[in-house]
Amino acid sequence: MQADRRRINAPPGGTAPPVFASPKNTTLKRPTRTRKPDEHRKLFLRTGVVPSASGSAYYEIPPQTPQQQGLLVPASSSLKITCSVHGPRPLPRNAAFSPNLLLTTHVKFAPFATRSRRGYVRDAGERDLGMHLDTALRGVIIGERWPKSGCEVVITVLEGEEDGWWGDAGGKDGGGGWGMMSVLAGCITVASAALVDAGIDCVDMVSGGVAALVCDGQDDGKTDRGARMVLDPSPAEHREIRAACVVGYLQSRDEVTEMWMKGDVGTQVEALLDEAVRAASLTRSVLAEALREAVELKMGAGLDDANGGLKEDKGKKKDVVMSG
Amino acid sequence: MANGASTAPGGPGLSFPPETFAKLSPGPFLHAHLKQQDPVRANGRSPEQFRKPTINTGSLTHSNGSAVVRVGDTAIVCGVRAEILLASDIPQPPKDDVETDDLVEDLGLLVPNLELSTGCSPAHLPGNAPGTLAQSLSYRILSLLNSSNLISPSDLSIQYAEPEAEEDQPTDEFKTVTKAYWTLYIDILCIALDGNAFDAAWAAVLAALQNTSLPMAWWDPDREAIFCSPLASEAHKLQLNGLPISSTFAVFSTASPLKRREDVESWILADPDGFEEDLCRETLTVVVATERSEQNPGGIIRLEKTGGAVIDRKLMQRCVRMAKNRCSDWDSALRGC
């Protein structure tokens, strides 16, 4: 790989990820989905993590299956996404006049986000995710209230979902498959929370939901229970995912701003879409709760400052006389 | 009180909330705070008061070691990943099997990179290659890792006892040969930046390296490759040589070409935040070894001073003393994780 002049590079010989031998006395167990087909995993969403940005949010799905005892190789991944919104800011002088808010989205996986190490330069998959996110957010922002302004939505994925179980033969890995769809659903939700935190006018809160058509069955491949529809799939839990769909959904208007469907659905296109919309409604309830807490905190803080209250870890700010 | 309460009754007072003054004239705003009887900074801290750090480790599943450090509003995530560098792949191998302290630096086994373009502050938006600040911070971390000899080469080498056979004779003599080295990719991401990225990034690197565990690896002579054991019980944690702690100070000074030298006032601000960093040209970074290091307990590992001539020997000694007192804060935070 060409040396990046602006970063500290790997040793000139090149390195390879470690290859693990099969453990002698332990058998590897694929994690299985223990929740119901229409049950979402527990979500954690919090706003205000980056105080110097106009708005920010942090989204996490903790790992469901406990680490298989004693193994260094992690069984399943969790999802951790950070989003910061900078804007509305004035456009640079040489930019053309724009009557609407100019939205720029940027999605980047951290180097330690996936099983194999990623580089620092954005690749095509990440740009693609950015485009999908842009489509989802464009439908919900009221752009004409902010002419000649730009807004940057920056997403960093600290840990991403995997495409399949690592123990599978020919284990797919590195993002670009089914894992990306869960990541996109998370990105839509977290960007929505950050936009509200930044105070940018929106028509409604957009939430992301993902559903899939999966094929389980025993690992010996003999029995096949047939394909079933599940929402919020964790790709490691299923033997095969036939198709998946991500939507960005506005619940109070019953509108879909973004839809991305992949795979062989057959005749069940509408059913898969409905499942994804149901998943989006579930995430919206978490989104609304988190935003309500954030607004209450802001309102409470506003009242405190007027009474000269304390803000933790900053000490009491004294008023001074400015002269000259 | 600036809110007009002290003006004479009947006279109109001109008062704005403090944030407006901070935006319009940041320099005089900070100066007005510091020149009081009891100097205080704009964020409410005293000039020698540091922010309290919090450290969480082990939260990333795909890294060998990880840490999240929060110092005030600055939040930094560090992930350490280990990959294997075969000795046969090294273009210019070291002379003997003797392990010198410089082996880690010569082979480039530690690869730290600090990424600031993550939207952590309005000045660091993504889409550009790393700027001067990110490049210089990455390099400072690398040089501090090498000069403090934090990791010894023996921890990172994978050895193999090669039988010295002659002509098909079975032999009992074995020569220990290093077949491969572990290379640690230390990726540091800044999630939120409010001044003083270096201290927080260095602490994140220390905490992540403390948390790192390397799998047991061996050289398979038949397949000519390195294999690792996935069992956690056979993995070993990295041994760090001491725990150097870094403290940064900034100097706020009213010097200007129009003023006489005697009229200039300056203050040393410990652990500057984003607002103060923009106003201060002179900074000093002191890296001190904690008592855990045998070679140099309580000694100075590094001093870096740039930007001006306000700090003289007396002030430097005062800063080093403050840095040593700071060690206990960081030590308890690093020990607790």
Side-chain angles (χ1 to χ4, degrees):
Chain A
M1 187 140 108
Q2 235 186 357
D4 186 348
R5 278 184 309 129
R6 294 180 200 239
R7 294 196 167 93
I8 296 179
N9 289 305
T15 57
V19 176
F20 288 96
S22 319
K24 286 196 186 67
N25 299 326
T26 41
T27 47
L28 302 168
K29 283 182 299 238
R30 177 203 296 274
T32 49
R33 184 184 176 114
T34 47
R35 54 209 153 98
K36 296 199 278 285
D38 56 356
E39 195 181 321
H40 205 287
R41 284 176 290 183
K42 222 168 152 64
L43 283 182
F44 173 71
L45 182 61
R46 197 169 133 219
T47 56
V49 288
V50 181
S52 55
S54 314
S56 57
Y58 174 72
Y59 174 99
E60 179 173 337
I61 299 186
Q64 300 297 298
T65 50
Q67 179 77 326
Q68 189 162 2
Q69 246 121 23
L71 279 190
L72 276 182
V73 186
S76 65
S77 199
S78 61
L79 189 58
K80 293 186 172 78
I81 309 180
T82 302
C83 174
S84 59
V85 168
H86 296 274
R89 336 160 82 196
L91 289 177
R93 266 174 190 259
N94 52 4
F97 173 78
S98 144
N100 296 323
L101 182 68
L102 214 65
L103 181 68
T104 325
T105 53
H106 187 106
V107 178
K108 183 79 188 72
F109 277 72
F112 39 73
T114 49
R115 216 170 267 279
S116 67
R117 187 168 176 266
R118 280 176 175 258
Y120 280 102
V121 185
R122 250 190 333 163
D123 64 8
E126 291 162 352
R127 281 183 209 265
D128 188 39
L129 265 190
M131 281 311 302
H132 282 288
L133 181 64
D134 183 89
T135 314
L137 296 179
R138 198 175 283 283
V140 83
I141 293 183
I142 304 177
E144 57 259 11
R145 292 195 189 163
W146 304 98
K148 299 196 290 185
S149 309
C151 172
E152 295 244 5
V153 175
V154 184
I155 291 206
T156 307
V157 182
L158 295 171
E159 212 168 284
E161 284 267 21
E162 307 193 288
D163 289 339
W165 189 48
W166 65 276
D168 273 339
K172 300 142 281 204
D173 148 82
W178 309 114
M180 285 290 226
M181 312 200 82
S182 300
V183 171
L184 177 60
C187 286
I188 295 176
T189 310
V190 73
S192 176
L195 282 175
V196 172
D197 192 37
I200 295 184
D201 302 56
C202 293
V203 170
D204 188 6
M205 291 191 294
V206 60
S207 57
V210 55
L213 197 62
V214 300
C215 237
D216 281 316
Q218 306 299 324
D219 268 322
D220 54 7
K222 287 201 191 112
T223 49
D224 186 12
R225 287 204 309 216
R228 59 186 180 127
M229 202 94 63
V230 296
L231 62 82
D232 189 31
S234 168
E237 290 172 348
H238 304 285
R239 185 170 57 82
E240 183 201 345
I241 298 186
R242 286 240 180 103
C245 173
V246 187
V247 292
Y249 178 62
L250 305 175
Q251 191 178 42
S252 54
R253 294 171 141 225
D254 196 27
E255 288 177 358
V256 169
T257 53
E258 146 80 4
M259 184 191 89
W260 182 21
M261 199 180 278
K262 211 154 99 152
D264 173 22
V265 193
T267 50
Q268 295 170 298
V269 178
E270 302 232 357
L272 188 58
L273 191 58
D274 284 337
E275 274 297 307
V277 163
R278 208 166 304 146
S281 312
L282 290 176
T283 49
R284 184 202 162 88
S285 53
V286 178
L287 180 62
E289 187 57 46
L291 288 173
R292 187 179 315 128
E293 279 177 20
V295 168
E296 276 171 8
L297 212 65
K298 272 193 198 164
M299 290 295 162
L303 290 172
D304 258 343
D305 274 345
N307 296 334
L310 283 171
K311 196 167 166 200
E312 55 149 284
D313 204 32
K314 280 209 166 150
K316 188 157 169 55
K317 294 191 186 189
K318 277 164 66 177
D319 284 335
V320 292
V321 176
M322 298 264 315
S323 60
Chain B
M1 289 277 287
N3 282 337
S6 60
T7 54
L14 185 67
S15 71
F16 294 117
E19 292 78 30
T20 311
F21 276 117
K23 273 228 160 59
L24 290 176
S25 55
F29 183 68
L30 187 55
H31 187 217
H33 277 86
L34 289 172
K35 73 179 181 194
Q36 295 170 339
Q37 209 45 316
D38 206 5
V40 73
R41 291 145 94 175
N43 48 35
R45 291 188 272 153
S46 83
E48 306 203 346
Q49 189 182 353
F50 290 87
R51 290 177 286 192
K52 197 165 171 354
T54 43
I55 304 185
N56 281 322
T57 52
S59 41
L60 298 174
T61 43
H62 292 299
S63 307
N64 293 72
S66 63
V68 179
V69 170
R70 276 188 194 86
V71 182
D73 281 339
T74 301
I76 297 204
V77 180
C78 175
V80 175
R81 278 195 109 132
E83 292 200 352
I84 295 184
L85 168 70
L86 288 174
S88 49
D89 282 341
I90 299 175
Q92 277 149 353
K95 293 289 173 13
D96 299 304
D97 281 313
V98 176
E99 310 220 307
T100 64
D101 279 336
D102 293 335
L103 202 63
V104 172
E105 183 176 357
D106 285 340
L107 295 178
L109 296 180
L110 298 175
V111 187
N113 269 303
L114 177 63
E115 183 67 34
L116 284 180
S117 310
T118 54
C120 55
S121 86
H124 301 285
L125 289 176
N128 306 319
T132 324
L133 180 62
Q135 289 182 57
S136 73
L137 283 173
S138 298
Y139 186 73
R140 280 165 74 190
I141 292 180
L142 174 65
S143 75
L144 188 53
L145 277 171
N146 287 331
S147 64
S148 61
N149 291 324
L150 200 61
I151 300 182
S152 54
S154 52
D155 248 347
L156 295 179
S157 42
I158 302 172
Q159 303 196 309
Y160 173 63
E162 207 169 40
E164 289 197 27
E166 291 169 2
E167 306 284 331
D168 293 331
Q169 304 272 345
T171 175
D172 281 334
E173 283 178 27
F174 290 90
K175 191 175 93 164
T176 317
V177 162
T178 306
K179 278 293 182 185
Y181 295 93
W182 283 108
T183 308
L184 298 180
Y185 288 94
I186 305 170
D187 297 306
I188 312 163
L189 244 63
C190 190
I191 301 295
L193 186 60
D194 189 27
N196 203 1
F198 183 73
D199 283 0
W202 177 249
V205 169
L206 277 185
L209 286 173
Q210 256 192 334
N211 182 247
T212 304
S213 56
L214 297 175
M216 184 186 78
W218 66 89
W219 168 259
D220 189 327
D222 300 319
R223 280 185 270 193
E224 298 216 332
I226 300 268
F227 288 104
C228 304
S229 156
L231 297 175
S233 50
E234 295 177 355
H236 68 273
K237 277 211 158 193
L238 270 185
Q239 295 298 322
L240 301 183
N241 298 332
L243 267 186
I245 303 290
S246 149
S247 308
T248 302
F249 304 88
V251 175
F252 178 71
S253 151
T254 54
S256 90
L258 302 171
K259 273 206 178 121
R260 293 184 302 169
R261 202 179 292 179
E262 306 83 62
D263 293 338
V264 165
E265 301 165 293
S266 21
W267 292 267
I268 294 191
L269 307 173
D271 197 6
D273 67 7
F275 175 71
E276 292 158 0
E277 247 183 14
D278 288 335
L279 299 171
C280 301
R281 270 191 356 226
E282 187 173 346
T283 57
L284 164 71
T285 301
V286 181
V287 182
V288 171
T290 53
E291 288 74 34
R292 285 201 236 175
S293 151
E294 297 90 30
Q295 290 109 344
N296 196 5
I300 302 176
I301 292 185
R302 168 171 291 218
L303 277 181
E304 285 171 335
K305 190 178 95 64
T306 57
V310 172
I311 297 186
D312 54 5
R313 276 191 300 176
K314 261 195 349 206
L315 285 177
M316 181 80 85
Q317 283 171 351
R318 207 172 109 215
C319 291
V320 171
R321 224 174 304 129
M322 283 198 275
K324 288 189 181 168
N325 293 339
R326 173 87 159 132
C327 279
S328 53
D329 269 349
W330 278 115
D331 217 21
S332 53
L334 284 166
R335 227 187 273 256
C337 57

